[in-house]
Each structure stands twice: as structure tokens, then as C-alpha cells.
Amino acid sequence: MASGGAVGRRRVVFVVRPSSCGVLMSEVSSSAQSPGPAPGPSAASGPAPASGNRADWQPLLDDLTRRRSASRAMGGPAKVARYSAAGRLHARARVDALLDPGSFTELGTLAGGADAPSDAFVAGSGRIDGRPVFVGAEDFTVQGGSIGPAAAAKRARLARLAGQERAPLVMLLEGAGHRATNALQGHTASPNDLQALTELAGVVPTVAVVTGPSAGHGALTAPLSDFVVMVEGAGALFTAGPPLVAAAIGERVDKLTLGGTDVHCVASGVAHNAAADDRAALRLVRRYLSYLPSNAWQHPPFAGAGQGNADTGPRSTDAVLDLIPPDARRPYDMHAVLDTVFDARSVLEIQPAYGASVLTAFARLGGHAVAVVANQPAVRAGTIDADAASKAARFVEVCGAFHLPVVFLADNPGVLAGTVSERAGILRASARLFAAQHRLRVPKLHVTLRKAFGFGSSVMAMNPFDAQTISYALPGVTLGGIPAAAGAATAKQDAETRDRLVANESSGPWRSANSLSYDDVIDPRELRNALLAGLDRAAARTAEPPTPVTRVGYLP
């Protein structure tokens, strides 16, 4: 090499050659002298144009579009048209009607392939009133909405996402349970949605809407949910449908007689509310969720003037004087009292047709979401039977889990006596309600309106010093372990003792207030304002960051 001459450089170029086993690189040498880097695009000129890439992508994108379209066509135009001919919403239309417009993001669109579009289960996330929710809808136009392997995985994934992301889960049910052909495939151990649903209890709100017949595994979603709505004339729940019932026990019965709204909204209590059609059911779900936080780490949403609620301030409840007769033997409708006391048009009754002698409802009080448990004197004088106690106990547990203050309005002659009631398990049912209300760690606001006897007072949170935020009575209430006249006769007391017992019962709330069994006796016209003051009294506690409720021990 000559001194001071140019330095020769060996340029190495790697040539990529495909092979059956992978990619081979070979080295090609060049002896050309090169004083600097090889020519190429400079940093200032930007990346090289991607000419040809779009053309290469197009077949893949076309395939994706075709597969998505086939999946979203559900059972095909003919089946969807037949299904919709009766004015009913199909699965995808139900999801759209439930969620805020344009908010749905689908999960598992391509599950099930060409044979079972979306595997008969439309699933994903969206928003209701701007808040995230998860939703799954069984698609009856695809193999009767039955659950195939992919749908089973989607259901479990959806439920786990709801817990993981701390958002409510809504399931729209109309399906035949597990698909019969699943038995022809190899069984694999995998998590299922029922396990996940159980874990969601008290963590995020869960709702099931029964839009058509729902059997087997799918039907079990309903009793594992916090709130169940059934569509009248269409929704039905059963462990097995009419054909299997006929084959198993020889009973021939139609779907609605086996498990329609008359069965589960009235007799069994498995479902909570009935709705006239699909759209009414979905509106009810949106309203139900409006009273609840998205999860147990949040407080319930406030609805003040900015949210369309103009009735949030104090006011006299003068109408209560007309609604509630002082004579405890005269019935009246508690619904009218609730509509008068709570914020205008805010009362949503839960499970109205089951255990009707006790009303359970959501309402707003000064814009705050609250739960209400009230005796209904228009039904059995407000006597608490096993159905009413069971309904109220479950309701109180759900409301406590999601941090709603509970208002108890007591007006009952006790729990129901008699052979029918005893055989129905009134003792255990009323003990369960007593334990559930005792365990509440939210503000408890109690008012005795006219009467409360025996265990009927205890289950309505009247016992003194049971963590009530307020405990009031209206003037003229009658109290006691049992009605005085009946108790005296049962104990064979003499006339003088009987008269003394009756006089004591007739003394109203004064003796109880004297010993602080009640915080105070209030004017019926002060009822709303007294409850508002109770919420204000608990304001510091309800401002603390909430957490899920933990339980020790078990209910009776």
C-alpha cells in the first residue's frame, strides 16, 4: 500500500435467499475502493416509499372483511327476517338498543367460523350513560342460541373482563344451553362463565335479560345475577325445556307455563321485573344501572339539577297526612307515600309481584341514590311472609354491597303466622332478613309509620342501637311483642291486666321515645326533610373511599 494513498475498503453485501428450512444469507465481496458510505436514502429524505405494500395487504383485508360480514350476518338474511317479522329485536339489535349509540366494541367476532357465526353469542363492551359496561347476547338465529366451545370461552372471557376492568355485566339470554354436538368433540377442562359470575357478586353489578326461552347452562346465568328482567310473552327460564321434560318425567307443558313471567316473577322469585317487550326491558336495565356505581370501589352516582333532577331540596310532605290513616287497621298504598317522600319520578320498584307485602325499591333522596324497604299495608296489612322476607334480604345484601343507604319504613303487624307460613319457612326467612339488615355498614334510616309488632319490628331495623343513622316514629304508632288484646287472651290474663296492656299499647311512641328507643317522634309533614337530614348526618362516612364488602360467617 503506497504511503499517503487512498485506503482500500472491502465492501460486504448480504444477499437474502429463501430456502425450505428458513432464510440463508450469503456474503458477496467487492474490492472497489469506497471513500465513504454507499449511496442510499439520506435521513433528510425520509423512508423509502412503500410501493406495492398496499397491494400485498389487500387480499388479507378482503378476507377479513368477508369473514366479519359473514359473522355479523348471524343466521343469514332469511332467518333474521323470520325472527324479526314479529317485531322482536335480534341479538345485535338488542346490543345496539342497550348501549349508547356507536359505543360497542365486539369481542370474538370470528369465533365459531362459517358454521356458527360468532358461535351464536355476540359479546363485547360499550357504554351506558357514558359509563363502561360489558354485554353478551345469545343469538337465537344461529343454532338456537346454543353454547358451543367458542361461545363458552367467550362467556368466560367476558365475565372475567367485567371483574378485571370493574364494569357491570349485562347478559341477554335466549338459547338452548350447551350445544348437543359438543359431546362429539373432545372435552377440555376450562374455566366457565358461571364460576366467574359467582366471583362478580358484590364486586360489579350483574344483570340478566331473558328475551326468549333460556334453558340449562344459559338459564343459570339468571339466578347468579343481581337483577333479572323477563320479556312478557316471550321470556322463559327452565332447567330443561318442554321436550326434555316430556322425555324425563312425562309431563307435557308449554314454555311459558313451564317457566314464563307468571312462574318466575310471581311464584318462584327467580326473576325480578317483567317488561312488555325487548325495548322496554333494555330501558329498564339502563335505569336500574343508573342507581348503582360501576363497581364496589365507587359510590353511587349523584343525580342533581345538572342531571335533570330538579327535586333535590327540602320540602314539606303535607300529602302524607291524607295518604296514611292514623287508624292502624285501615289499609293504604305505600307506593303513594314513596312517590311523595322521594325525589319526583325517581322510585323504581324491584320485584313488585313477588312477596308483595314488602316493597323493595331504588329511589333518589336529594339526588342521592338510596334503597327502600317498606311494608305494604295494602297487602295482608303489611304482614311479612317468607317470600317477602327472602326478597328483602337479597335486596338489602345487593344494596349494601354497592354502598346505597337503606331507608326502612315500618308498618306491619309482624311476621305471618299459621301452618302455611311455617311450612314455607317463615322463621328462617325472617331470620335471614334480620341478619342481612344487621350486617349493613351503610347508613340505615328507620321510621315507624304506624305499627310494628314482634319480629316484624326487628327485621325492619327498628331495634334500638343497631347502627341506625336515624330512628324515628310518627305520632300514634302502636308497638309491642304481640298485639295487646290477643296476647292477654292467650296468656289468660284478667280483665284489669288486659286493660293495662291495651292502654300501654295505645300510649303511642312516647314511652319508647322517653327511653331513647327512638331518636325522636316527628310530624308526618317532616318525613322527607328528616330523611334528608339523616343523609347529611352520614355525609362524612359516605365521602370515604369505598371498598368491596367482606363477610365473616353466613346468613341463616
Side-chain angles (χ1 to χ4, degrees):
M1 179 178 297
S3 172
V7 178
R9 294 179 180 171
R10 180 174 183 268
R11 188 170 61 187
V12 179
V13 179
F14 291 97
V15 178
V16 180
R17 296 187 291 109
S19 91
S20 60
C21 298
V23 176
L24 300 179
M25 291 189 294
S26 59
E27 184 179 289
V28 178
S29 299
S30 171
S31 59
Q33 298 291 324
S34 177
S42 67
S45 66
S51 58
N53 285 353
R54 291 180 180 273
D56 292 342
W57 271 106
Q58 198 57 50
L60 298 174
L61 298 178
D62 290 344
D63 189 33
L64 175 61
T65 299
R66 179 185 60 78
R67 291 175 184 272
R68 281 179 171 176
S69 298
S71 178
R72 289 169 179 164
M74 302 182 292
K79 281 188 177 180
V80 172
R82 285 198 302 271
Y83 185 89
S84 303
R88 302 187 64 207
L89 299 178
H90 57 69
R92 291 184 176 275
R94 286 172 185 147
V95 171
D96 289 342
L98 173 70
L99 300 177
D100 295 349
S103 68
F104 182 53
T105 299
E106 190 164 355
L107 161 71
T109 309
L110 305 182
D115 295 333
S118 291
D119 209 21
F121 186 65
V122 180
S125 60
R127 291 182 177 269
I128 291 178
D129 293 332
R131 296 192 294 166
V133 298
F134 289 88
V135 59
E138 294 177 336
D139 180 3
F140 197 76
T141 70
V142 177
Q143 301 195 33
S146 58
I147 304 170
K154 271 207 286 188
R155 295 169 84 105
R157 170 78 170 141
L158 192 69
R160 279 162 174 74
L161 278 171
Q164 174 182 302
E165 307 305 335
R166 299 182 179 181
L169 174 63
V170 181
M171 297 287 283
L172 311 179
L173 306 178
E174 184 178 17
H178 278 297
R179 196 169 297 157
T181 54
N182 291 351
L184 302 178
Q185 303 182 32
H187 174 74
T188 57
S190 61
N192 70 61
D193 60 306
L194 301 185
Q195 296 166 342
L197 278 171
T198 303
E199 296 298 323
L200 294 181
V203 177
V204 300
T206 54
V207 178
V209 183
V210 187
T211 60
S214 179
H217 183 101
L220 288 168
T221 302
L224 290 172
S225 300
D226 300 334
F227 183 55
V228 182
V229 183
M230 296 185 71
V231 176
E232 293 177 335
L237 287 167
F238 25 67
T239 56
L244 289 179
V245 170
I249 62 174
E251 181 183 4
R252 300 196 176 277
V253 64
D254 63 78
K255 295 173 183 176
L256 297 183
T257 303
L258 180 61
T261 53
D262 286 345
V263 176
H264 292 308
C265 292
V266 181
S268 75
V270 168
H272 295 81
N273 290 45
D277 54 32
D278 289 354
R279 291 188 184 277
L282 299 172
R283 287 195 300 269
L284 181 56
V285 172
R286 291 178 64 94
R287 188 178 179 196
Y288 173 86
L289 291 175
S290 73
Y291 295 90
L292 296 171
S294 292
N295 56 63
W297 291 267
Q298 298 177 357
H299 287 295
F302 178 81
Q307 292 78 30
N309 182 5
D311 184 26
T312 60
R315 55 177 168 77
S316 171
T317 49
D318 188 74
V320 172
L321 296 177
D322 298 316
L323 296 172
I324 302 179
D327 183 353
R329 293 169 296 182
R330 290 177 56 193
Y332 65 92
D333 188 355
M334 183 63 76
H335 292 103
V337 176
L338 302 189
D339 288 340
T340 298
V341 170
F342 296 97
D343 297 359
R345 297 176 297 281
S346 73
V347 178
L348 172 62
E349 188 174 2
I350 304 299
Q351 218 163 9
Y354 179 72
S357 64
V358 169
L359 303 186
T360 51
F362 289 151
R364 292 196 176 275
L365 184 62
H368 297 280
V370 298
V372 183
V373 179
N375 299 125
Q376 171 57 297
V379 177
R380 292 179 175 172
T383 304
I384 302 165
D385 61 15
D387 288 350
S390 297
K391 171 178 81 171
R394 176 67 186 274
F395 178 73
V396 162
E397 283 193 289
V398 171
C399 295
F402 294 111
H403 317 302
L404 274 74
V406 183
V407 178
F408 292 89
L409 300 178
D411 190 346
N412 71 77
V415 299
L416 185 62
T419 57
V420 173
S421 183
E422 296 297 349
R423 290 178 179 179
I426 183 58
L427 286 173
R428 175 164 290 178
S430 56
R432 178 177 287 267
L433 174 54
F434 173 77
Q437 67 79 27
H438 172 73
R439 287 183 173 188
L440 284 173
R441 294 299 175 261
V442 297
K444 291 197 296 186
L445 315 178
H446 171 90
V447 183
T448 303
L449 301 181
R450 289 195 312 181
K451 61 186 182 296
F453 287 97
F455 207 38
S457 62
S458 300
V459 302
M460 294 297 292
M462 195 193 86
N463 285 11
F465 301 99
D466 194 18
Q468 298 98 329
T469 298
I470 60 171
S471 181
Y472 294 142
L474 301 189
V477 302
T478 51
L479 309 167
I482 55 175
T490 301
K492 297 182 172 56
Q493 300 291 343
D494 57 39
E496 181 183 355
T497 303
R498 175 191 174 282
D499 291 343
R500 288 171 57 200
L501 288 169
V502 171
N504 180 70
E505 180 183 271
S506 303
S507 66
W510 316 121
R511 288 171 61 108
S512 296
N514 186 50
S515 61
L516 208 64
S517 293
Y518 290 110
D519 294 336
D520 207 349
V521 179
I522 63 171
D523 186 318
R525 294 169 291 187
E526 300 170 345
L527 184 52
R528 172 181 171 86
N529 295 345
L531 294 173
L532 282 170
L535 287 184
D536 188 63
R537 176 179 288 180
R541 180 152 55 109
T542 56
E544 296 173 353
T547 57
V549 174
T550 56
R551 306 280 187 201
V552 177
Y554 48 82
L555 291 176

